[in-house]
Amino acid sequence: MKIFKFGGASVNSVDRIKQVPGILRQFSAEKLLVVISAMGKTTNALEKVAEAFYNGHKDEALQLFHQIKEQHLTTAKYLLVKNYLACEAQLKDFFTEVEWLLHDKPVREYDYYYDQVVCVGELLSTSIMSAYFAESGIGNQWIDVRDIFRTDANFRDAGIDWDVTGRKVREEVLPLFGEDDIIVTQGFIGATSDNESTTLGREGSDYTAAVFANLLDAEGQTIWKDVEGVMNADPKQFPDAQLIRELNYDEVIEMAYYGAQVIHPKTIKPLQNKGIPLYVKCFLDASLPGTVIHNKSLKGLPPIFVLKQDQVLVQLHSRDFSFVGETGIARLYDLFSQVRVKPNLIQSGAVSIQVCLDDRPAKIERLALAAAELFDVNISRGLTLLTIRHYDAPALGRLTAGKEEVLRQQTPETVQVVMR
């Protein structure tokens, strides 16, 4: 059994969608569980719906959602003939699920409504893709992953209950392979025990696939992307980015930790636990070798660049000039856990601590208010964090030239620079 994951770029147009059955036919002798993301920029569009709704702009939210509805119905019409009506009915059920919420008024926190709205993107895309596979002669079973993945109620970054989810995979997913060789499901989403939709964090579809790979003891997981494989930088930011043919789990975890967007930070652990290789392949040309990620040692890797925009530097200073020491840092980490934020960089001195974080305003405010009980707090916004693994001086100099360096942290293997 293999696990395939197709990202939003793989299904962002009718032409690209039509390429997917050809890839699946190359594995006609295999049992495949196929995880599919929302189409193209649908998640971004749904985020705007959630924001408009939460800010009290119901009519705007409904209008924005109407555009998403029309886009998906139009895509289905281009792709489907005999399966269109059944697919349309399924899509309309999901439309109603969101519109019912949008006619209400927000009484809970934003992250809850974000998950209820944004989760529909994957449900719409997989409904269309499953119907299109069937119309293309590829039998498959569609499942709602919210019926399988049980999570906690930490909306926008939900944690999976592995015991319950594992039981549901054994009892509800495995038997479906007796009916068809392909199962189609969603990435990124799950549900609480109260059947409230949750999301697993941005780019969480990779993680969904890895959880299935672990629980189904898959022989491999393949992520199909619109690039050759894992690159040493984001090609959109670095036009001269180069392919890395081979990586190991440790290196990918480091890349993910520092914010590389190719692999979701949580994806590797479920694979590493069972020694399942991860392949990153190009859906535009399946014959390309791509990247394989395994547990072997590697040497001679090129510099790996990660550039994160919209960063915040939270500067914490001891009020009485006492050493921050272990107690202050320990209490700070407790705050990180309570607020549910992950520092991208921490640097501590005798009486001060500096923390670089993604700019999520509500969480930054909560962190600052809580930290103000212990420290004097200063916040700087609009910063960029550059991380280079296996760095060399010329590359570092080139990328920091003309920038104001706010903070630097350096080891023999990795350098990080906060700059504006």
Side-chain angles (χ1 to χ4, degrees):
M1 182 187 303
K2 291 182 170 68
I3 311 298
F4 282 3
K5 181 260 178 174
F6 291 92
S10 310
V11 293
N12 69 356
S13 69
V14 169
D15 287 342
R16 287 194 168 184
I17 289 170
K18 287 181 175 179
Q19 295 187 56
V20 179
I23 292 174
L24 299 186
R25 289 191 187 99
Q26 295 178 35
F27 300 87
S28 57
E30 307 274 0
K31 293 190 181 299
L32 303 175
L33 186 139
V34 181
V35 174
I36 301 174
S37 299
M39 292 180 175
K41 300 296 183 182
T42 301
T43 299
N44 292 338
L46 287 165
E47 286 175 343
K48 292 179 180 178
V49 173
E51 288 167 8
F53 163 76
Y54 194 73
N55 290 327
H57 307 309
K58 182 183 79 170
D59 290 344
E60 180 187 352
L62 287 167
Q63 177 57 34
L64 290 169
F65 189 62
H66 177 75
Q67 295 172 14
I68 295 168
K69 290 167 53 179
E70 290 302 308
Q71 289 166 358
H72 284 81
L73 288 169
T74 298
T75 299
K77 286 174 183 174
Y78 273 114
L79 291 168
L80 304 173
V81 179
K82 61 182 180 181
N83 290 331
Y84 176 75
L85 291 177
C87 180
E88 180 189 42
Q90 188 177 21
L91 294 177
K92 287 184 175 179
D93 285 343
F94 294 130
F95 296 156
T96 300
E97 190 177 317
V98 174
E99 288 172 329
W100 179 82
L101 180 145
L102 296 180
H103 280 96
D104 206 347
K105 290 186 177 179
V107 294
R108 297 176 64 169
E109 63 183 17
Y110 172 73
D111 287 354
Y112 166 78
Y113 294 105
Y114 176 99
D115 281 7
Q116 309 319 300
V117 172
V118 169
C119 75
V120 80
E122 274 69 15
L123 295 163
L124 300 177
S125 67
T126 53
S127 298
I128 294 171
M129 295 299 292
S130 175
Y132 180 59
F133 292 160
E135 193 139 316
S136 302
I138 298 174
N140 68 94
Q141 296 286 317
W142 180 94
I143 57 173
D144 187 334
V145 78
R146 297 177 299 177
D147 296 332
I148 308 299
F149 275 25
R150 175 70 68 247
T151 75
D152 60 24
N154 182 36
F155 298 103
R156 291 190 73 180
D157 193 17
I160 290 175
D161 183 328
W162 283 81
D163 291 337
V164 173
T165 301
R167 186 178 73 249
K168 286 178 171 286
V169 167
R170 291 189 298 273
E171 294 176 356
E172 300 179 36
V173 178
L174 267 176
L176 295 177
F177 281 113
E179 302 177 41
D180 282 294
D181 288 340
I182 294 177
I183 294 174
V184 175
T185 193
Q186 308 77 37
F188 180 54
I189 65 177
T192 68
S193 56
D194 295 325
N195 288 323
E196 294 176 321
S197 298
T198 56
T199 63
L200 309 178
R202 283 302 293 264
E203 311 302 327
S205 295
D206 292 351
Y207 180 53
T208 297
V211 173
F212 272 120
N214 179 289
L215 294 175
L216 290 167
D217 292 315
E219 63 181 90
Q221 173 181 332
T222 302
I223 299 174
W224 295 92
K225 300 180 72 69
D226 60 347
V227 293
E228 291 181 62
V230 176
M231 314 295 282
N232 72 325
D234 183 345
K236 296 173 184 175
Q237 296 173 322
F238 298 85
D240 58 349
Q242 58 184 286
L243 174 69
I244 305 175
R245 292 280 299 271
E246 201 173 355
L247 285 165
N248 58 30
Y249 295 132
D250 287 348
E251 186 63 40
V252 171
I253 288 172
E254 291 283 352
M255 292 171 66
Y257 174 80
Y258 289 115
Q261 294 298 305
V262 175
I263 309 295
H264 189 275
K266 296 183 288 191
T267 297
I268 299 301
K269 191 61 179 171
L271 303 175
Q272 186 180 33
N273 285 350
K274 291 193 173 179
I276 298 170
L278 174 63
Y279 304 91
V280 181
K281 298 271 287 180
C282 180
F283 75 87
L284 297 171
D285 186 351
S287 67
L288 293 173
T291 301
V292 60
I293 300 163
H294 48 56
N295 211 22
K296 302 173 186 175
S297 61
L298 292 171
K299 292 182 180 179
L301 289 170
I304 295 169
F305 305 97
V306 180
L307 199 61
K308 299 194 76 172
Q309 312 285 354
D310 300 320
Q311 297 294 289
V312 173
L313 189 65
V314 180
Q315 298 167 298
L316 309 170
H317 195 280
S318 171
R319 285 208 175 98
D320 59 2
F321 286 89
S322 61
F323 293 140
V324 292
E326 294 181 0
T327 302
I329 292 175
R331 294 177 72 181
L332 184 60
Y333 270 97
D334 284 341
L335 291 181
F336 294 153
S337 177
Q338 291 168 24
V339 180
R340 295 280 187 163
V341 296
K342 183 186 82 67
N344 297 321
L345 181 155
I346 296 180
Q347 191 168 102
S348 62
V351 295
S352 65
I353 303 172
Q354 300 186 83
V355 185
C356 183
L357 302 149
D358 294 338
D359 192 356
R360 292 178 65 176
K363 293 198 172 187
I364 297 297
E365 182 179 357
R366 285 178 59 199
L367 177 65
L369 287 172
E373 299 177 8
L374 308 171
F375 305 97
D376 288 327
V377 180
N378 183 59
I379 296 175
S380 300
R381 283 191 154 88
L383 302 173
T384 297
L385 174 62
L386 168 68
T387 303
I388 310 178
R389 294 269 301 159
H390 319 296
Y391 64 92
D392 55 45
L396 178 59
R398 185 176 71 253
L399 293 172
T400 57
K403 306 290 186 182
E404 178 190 348
E405 188 172 312
V406 178
L407 185 66
R408 178 187 291 213
Q409 194 156 277
Q410 199 161 342
T411 70
E413 196 70 39
T414 304
V415 62
Q416 291 188 283
V417 180
V418 180
M419 55 193 185
R420 62 163 59 89

